[in-house]
Amino acid sequence: QVQLVESGGGLVQPGGSLRLSCAASGFTLGFYGNAWFRQAPGKENEAVSFMRRGEGSADYAYYADSVKGRFTISRDNAKNTIYLQMTSLKPDDTAVYYCAATASMDDTISEWEYQYWGQGTQVTVSS
């Protein structure tokens, strides 16, 4: 059974850090493009970060301008898990975060091209 399961969300104060994890089962994450999306209340789904499939994919990653320099995407192939390290968190980062995987050969951040999605994990940044 194909499944993505996120963890690591929670409540954090502004300026704090969190690391989200997304564990896959039923398929190999490294054979797919991987991404993190987020959706805040009343807002559209937003692509936060993307990394390519395969070896050396850490050489290239996409980040939304709003998170550049603060968030880092990574993948542990041995654990079949991707991560999103989030630092210097701001209240505007509050959202439900989803991991996703795409079979597309393009470097896509279009949610419509992602076949597999996790259930989401809530991140709340508040004092």
Side-chain angles (χ1 to χ4, degrees):
Q1 181 181 1
V2 171
Q3 196 173 16
L4 290 171
V5 179
E6 298 105 335
S7 60
L11 173 64
V12 63
Q13 292 187 342
S17 299
L18 282 175
R19 189 179 78 157
L20 305 183
S21 300
C22 173
S25 57
F27 72 108
T28 302
L29 273 174
F31 293 167
Y32 291 75
N34 306 145
W36 288 93
F37 291 82
R38 69 184 181 186
Q39 188 163 28
K43 295 187 178 180
E44 293 185 351
N45 205 12
E46 175 190 18
V48 174
S49 183
F50 165 86
M51 67 184 303
R52 288 174 174 168
R53 68 188 67 222
E55 298 296 325
S57 54
D59 295 338
Y60 172 84
Y62 161 86
Y63 296 97
D65 286 343
S66 57
V67 307
K68 204 170 291 183
R70 300 188 297 121
F71 289 12
T72 304
I73 190 172
S74 61
R75 182 170 60 230
D76 185 330
N77 290 325
K79 295 183 178 179
N80 208 22
T81 298
I82 60 171
Y83 303 95
L84 186 69
Q85 179 67 50
M86 305 185 294
T87 63
S88 302
L89 283 162
K90 305 174 181 179
D92 284 350
D93 296 318
T94 296
V96 178
Y97 285 71
Y98 300 89
C99 62
T102 178
S104 172
M105 298 302 293
D106 297 329
D107 295 339
T108 179
I109 57 170
S110 170
E111 61 181 295
W112 310 110
E113 298 197 54
Y114 282 76
Q115 293 78 36
Y116 303 129
W117 290 83
Q119 83 286 357
T121 185
Q122 176 70 47
V123 171
T124 302
V125 184
S126 175
S127 55

